[in-house]
Amino acid sequence: MSVQAPSRTESRLLVGLFLVALAYSLHGVTYHWTKGFLSGHEFRQTQTALITHYIDRDDNFSLLYETPLVGKPWVSILMEVPLYEWVVVGLSRATGLPHFMAARSVSAACFYLSLPALYLLLGRFGLPRPRRLLVLALILCAPVYIYYSRAFLIDAMAFCFSAWWLLAFVRAMDERRWPWLVLATVAGTGAALVKSATFAVWLPPAAAYGAWLLWRDLRAGTGWRAPGQTLAWGLATVVVALGALRAWIAYTDPIKAAHASAWIFTSKTLSQGNWGLFDLRALFSAEVWRQLLHCWEQAIASRWIIAGGLLAGLALPRVRGPVLGLGAAFFAAQALFPNAYAYQDYYFYSIAVFVLAALGFTMVGLLDTRWPRVLVALVVAVPFAAQVHAYWQDYRVGQSADLKGGFPLTDLLRDHTPEGSVLVIAGADWAGIVPYYSQRKALMIRNGLEDDRAYLRRAFNDLEGENISALVLHGPLRQHQNLITIAASRLGLDPRGPTFSYQEVDVYVPKRLAAELRTRLASAAPYAGVTVHPPRADEAVWKHLVAITPERAQSEFKAFQPAPFQADFQFGLGWMGVGGRQVLSAHPDANLWIKPPADATRITWTYGLLPGAYENPTSKTDGVEFIITGELPDGSERRLHRRVLDPWANPAHRGEQTETIACSLRPGEVLRFSSGPFETPERDWAYFAAIRIEP
């Protein structure tokens, strides 16, 4: 490509244009800089923010970092090497900035540090220095590079690494000098490990340039040495990066595959439909292209400006080659990952630069025409005006929200659930918004898994031993009674109604926490939009409560020492023969109260399930939980023991079970021995054989 050298007047005007664009970019990037609201695909930003939070909190700078969104093990969603998050934590610790401001600083720095690489790359196209500034001005004014250069996202860092890698690749291939190869290795490895999807769309332009060099060498007919060297240098610029990426995938895929729901993030699953990779149906879908064109107008400028600029560039012989190549790189990325770009506008952060550079070359071509200078200036101004209009009509509106981050529901959960507790959330897929702003780990039941019994059982089992503080149900799942029943049984909730609600969200709090929470909320400042539901009139009433007289205790409960003083059995107190002796039928729900000796330190409990509960494979129990609860004089409760018997899945649970539980009781504490359904009460034919409480 050959272009005319710009005049002095033109050079000054282009420098001025660049400075105005830079000021405009800095204003947009720093607007509402101190607001904690993570505007723009908040679900994705909060995931990165959560990783950062737990790296900093636990001082965990290892590759096994926690993303506590989809349940235990918390180390499950290992998407990228957390270099971005490490830098954010380091900057936050060094400056005292909150994480979100440190993240904005890192993202903005990465974007502006990429500009020198882009400037030097434009020089490889033969652009004179002042005219390179015209292209950079167009990039600076792009809505996507204003809005997402302040985001809590890894994309800006991956973009910066990719830009410097492409520059180093071109220089290494042209000059065959080792410093450029070293830079290509470092930058390429950084890009591949921070976000491989970004690096992937910068590889084809480099491959095309390398192929052209190889073709040139072969055409020269000087033998195989020159083509061999070209091929060797080209491979050398990517071999470490791609090798490191392959090693990371091999390291993380088994961890994700072993998780109850994080398997969706394995490389195989992501490449089969998630991005639309190699999926012709997505590529030729009218809906996908409708979304893609919407993203163009959101992230770059009007589709008509983009199309017109590209067609005009192809009509200008001097710039046709760069416009064609850069435009092809822009479209190739969307063809490679159509779903990712269609439904996630921030993905255009990685490729908008290609089409913007193509439009910039069109402008350069117009500068070399004989059109009147005033007309050329007006035409050049059109893309800038379109970008300003696009930004102020869309991204600026979201960025202008005067929010501190979070909303009343997350404030309430943060303020009034135990620190270190876990939320169970359904109806929000795996969006990290509620867990991040409430600063709680979460089991987020991914959309579509709320009816998967095997998944729910495994996910709840994985949480055994954790302090579950709330079940949070969004939207239609507020009416998903089966999920509510299962979660209530497993988490100790009252399934009859939520503890409080916020807009389209219902929150169920475990019974052991509900009364205290309501008391605290009654005296706390109100949370806007939050409705606290009063306790049910019969919430503390046992429907089948019967007193056990001393005479009855002495005659029927000889195997229970001390004898119980009251019981609440859904199907009434009844005895049956098992193994030649009488046992107490305890089909859920069954509750038996005993006043223990003041010096008790040990509980021995014998219980089990009848063989008929699990012998029929087509109609069997899904498990029964056996619980000991301590009831204190002030009305509060504490769980002393819980065990689930699932004799169909675990043969060791068949037959009579005897457990010895060490205990340290509080003054006046009464023990309640209970059986409850693990998920459903079908064929939960449980029994209590004996209880002994001793010093």
Side-chain angles (χ1 to χ4, degrees):
M1 182 195 78
S2 61
V3 296
Q4 299 175 8
S7 67
R8 179 174 295 182
T9 300
E10 179 188 312
S11 297
R12 289 175 177 172
L13 289 173
L14 292 179
V15 170
L17 175 63
F18 171 78
L19 292 176
V20 170
L22 180 60
Y24 172 72
S25 170
L26 288 168
H27 165 73
V29 169
T30 57
Y31 176 63
H32 271 187
W33 186 260
T34 61
K35 301 297 181 183
F37 173 48
L38 302 179
S39 178
H41 283 277
E42 194 177 13
F43 82 94
R44 187 63 180 85
Q45 292 196 60
T46 51
Q47 180 198 332
T48 309
L50 266 177
I51 294 171
T52 304
H53 171 76
Y54 285 100
I55 287 174
D56 195 8
R57 193 198 73 170
D58 301 334
D59 202 30
N60 176 16
F61 289 86
S62 75
L63 295 177
L64 287 172
Y65 58 89
E66 291 186 352
T67 313
L69 283 177
V70 291
K72 294 180 73 174
W74 305 121
V75 177
S76 56
I77 311 179
L78 298 171
M79 301 290 283
E80 70 271 352
V81 173
L83 180 60
Y84 175 87
E85 291 88 343
W86 292 341
V87 174
V88 170
V89 171
L91 180 61
S92 176
R93 290 182 176 185
T95 61
L97 290 173
H99 286 165
F100 70 88
M101 288 178 63
R104 287 172 180 162
S105 301
V106 172
S107 293
C110 286
F111 170 65
Y112 291 116
L113 287 173
S114 69
L115 296 180
L118 299 176
Y119 179 85
L120 294 173
L121 273 169
L122 291 169
R124 307 306 289 182
F125 281 98
L127 273 185
R129 287 186 176 86
R131 290 186 172 180
R132 299 180 210 174
L133 297 179
L134 172 61
V135 180
L136 292 185
L138 203 59
I139 294 169
L140 283 166
C141 291
V144 71
Y145 293 125
I146 294 175
Y147 193 54
Y148 286 114
S149 289
R150 64 191 306 283
F152 209 140
L153 291 173
I154 58 179
D155 295 70
M157 180 174 283
F159 176 83
C160 184
F161 276 130
S162 297
W164 281 101
W165 171 80
L166 185 57
L167 172 66
F169 172 84
V170 171
R171 297 295 292 267
M173 297 301 289
D174 288 347
E175 302 173 21
R176 311 291 166 89
R177 293 177 57 201
W178 289 101
W180 290 113
L181 180 59
V182 171
L183 178 58
T185 299
V186 173
T189 302
L193 295 181
V194 170
K195 188 167 185 177
S196 58
T198 295
F199 188 48
V201 300
W202 285 71
L203 287 172
Y209 184 67
W212 178 81
L213 292 176
L214 188 61
W215 175 78
R216 184 192 64 182
D217 292 341
L218 291 170
R219 242 183 109 194
T222 57
W224 289 99
R225 182 174 181 179
Q229 288 180 339
T230 297
L231 188 61
W233 275 86
L235 292 175
T237 62
V238 295
V239 64
V240 174
L242 297 182
L245 176 60
R246 184 173 181 82
W248 175 247
I249 292 172
Y251 176 61
T252 58
D253 266 3
I255 296 172
K256 291 181 279 191
H259 191 272
S261 65
W263 53 266
I264 193 176
F265 303 111
T266 60
S267 57
K268 179 180 179 181
T269 306
L270 285 174
S271 62
Q272 293 180 346
N274 186 279
W275 283 329
L277 187 66
F278 306 125
D279 186 353
L280 293 180
R281 292 172 300 175
L283 188 58
F284 293 103
S285 164
E287 174 60 20
V288 167
W289 276 99
R290 187 182 70 82
Q291 293 293 338
L292 284 170
L293 292 175
H294 171 70
C295 286
W296 289 12
E297 301 199 329
Q298 217 181 359
I300 305 169
S302 164
R303 68 186 72 177
W304 304 111
I305 297 294
I306 294 173
L310 293 177
L311 290 173
L314 294 176
L316 297 169
R318 289 186 176 180
V319 296
R320 181 179 299 149
V323 171
L324 180 61
L326 290 164
F330 176 70
F331 285 104
Q334 295 169 78
L336 187 63
F337 305 128
N339 288 336
Y341 284 93
Y343 300 102
Q344 299 172 113
D345 59 292
Y346 69 91
Y347 261 66
F348 279 84
Y349 198 98
S350 63
I351 63 166
V353 63
F354 296 129
V355 74
L356 291 168
L359 295 178
F361 274 99
T362 297
M363 294 180 184
V364 169
L366 291 174
L367 291 175
D368 287 341
T369 64
R370 295 181 179 179
W371 292 10
R373 296 298 89 185
V374 173
L375 179 59
V376 170
L378 289 174
V379 173
V380 167
V382 168
F384 289 99
Q387 288 184 312
V388 171
H389 178 266
Y391 169 67
W392 283 81
Q393 287 294 111
D394 193 313
Y395 287 153
R396 183 75 173 198
V397 175
Q399 197 176 339
S400 296
D402 191 10
L403 303 172
K404 63 182 178 62
F407 41 94
L409 172 65
T410 58
D411 293 344
L412 190 157
L413 291 170
R414 185 189 63 243
D415 298 342
H416 295 286
T417 60
E419 188 173 350
S421 63
V422 176
L423 306 175
V424 176
I425 305 173
D429 207 11
W430 57 287
I433 298 168
V434 171
Y436 172 65
Y437 289 121
S438 62
Q439 295 295 284
R440 299 292 181 264
K441 295 182 177 182
L443 163 60
M444 303 202 70
I445 299 171
R446 284 185 19 242
N447 291 349
L449 293 178
E450 57 272 4
D451 293 307
D452 188 331
R453 284 286 186 87
Y455 159 74
L456 291 174
R457 171 171 289 201
R458 179 179 172 186
F460 283 136
N461 283 347
D462 288 340
L463 288 180
E464 190 67 34
E466 293 288 344
N467 181 11
I468 311 300
S469 57
L471 170 68
V472 183
L473 299 179
H474 293 252
L477 289 191
R478 300 165 72 192
Q479 281 74 49
H480 198 299
Q481 196 56 49
N482 190 47
L483 175 61
I484 294 171
T485 300
I486 293 172
S489 172
R490 300 297 302 275
L491 308 179
L493 311 172
D494 181 355
R496 296 169 297 175
T499 309
F500 60 89
S501 302
Y502 173 77
Q503 296 182 356
E504 295 299 310
V505 181
D506 283 346
V507 180
Y508 293 74
V509 174
K511 295 175 185 176
R512 69 184 192 279
L513 303 175
E516 181 187 354
L517 175 63
R518 288 189 177 103
T519 300
R520 280 194 277 116
L521 290 178
S523 59
Y527 292 83
V530 172
T531 301
V532 180
H533 302 291
R536 300 276 174 169
D538 60 345
E539 188 170 70
V541 175
W542 299 93
K543 294 183 179 179
H544 310 284
L545 190 66
V546 296
I548 301 174
T549 64
E551 295 76 19
R552 186 177 184 184
Q554 185 176 8
S555 63
E556 296 183 19
F557 290 88
K558 294 180 180 179
F560 296 72
Q561 296 296 328
F565 67 92
Q566 67 181 18
D568 186 287
F569 281 45
Q570 183 175 351
F571 299 99
L573 284 172
W575 298 84
M576 57 187 176
V578 174
R581 63 171 172 166
Q582 292 293 300
V583 297
L584 186 61
S585 175
H587 189 296
D589 290 316
N591 298 274
L592 196 68
W593 283 263
I594 297 177
K595 295 178 181 177
D599 57 351
T601 60
R602 184 172 69 250
I603 303 169
T604 304
W605 190 8
T606 302
Y607 52 84
L609 273 75
L610 298 179
Y614 52 83
E615 288 178 336
N616 184 350
T618 61
S619 180
K620 59 185 183 298
T621 179
D622 54 20
V624 176
E625 57 180 5
F626 295 84
I627 301 171
I628 303 175
T629 304
E631 297 183 351
L632 299 168
D634 63 1
S636 62
E637 297 181 351
R638 63 182 186 128
R639 179 177 290 180
L640 301 179
H641 176 72
R642 175 179 180 269
R643 186 186 178 197
V644 174
L645 292 188
D646 187 359
W648 170 258
N650 190 343
H653 292 179
R654 299 174 185 178
E656 200 161 271
Q657 308 285 314
T658 298
E659 284 197 86
T660 300
I661 303 110
C663 63
S664 177
L665 302 181
R666 300 176 185 176
E669 188 167 15
V670 174
L671 300 184
R672 185 174 79 244
F673 293 79
S674 309
S675 68
F678 185 56
E679 292 177 1
T680 66
E682 182 183 357
R683 302 184 83 86
D684 286 353
W685 298 338
Y687 63 86
F688 299 163
I691 297 173
R692 185 172 296 275
I693 308 173
E694 313 174 286

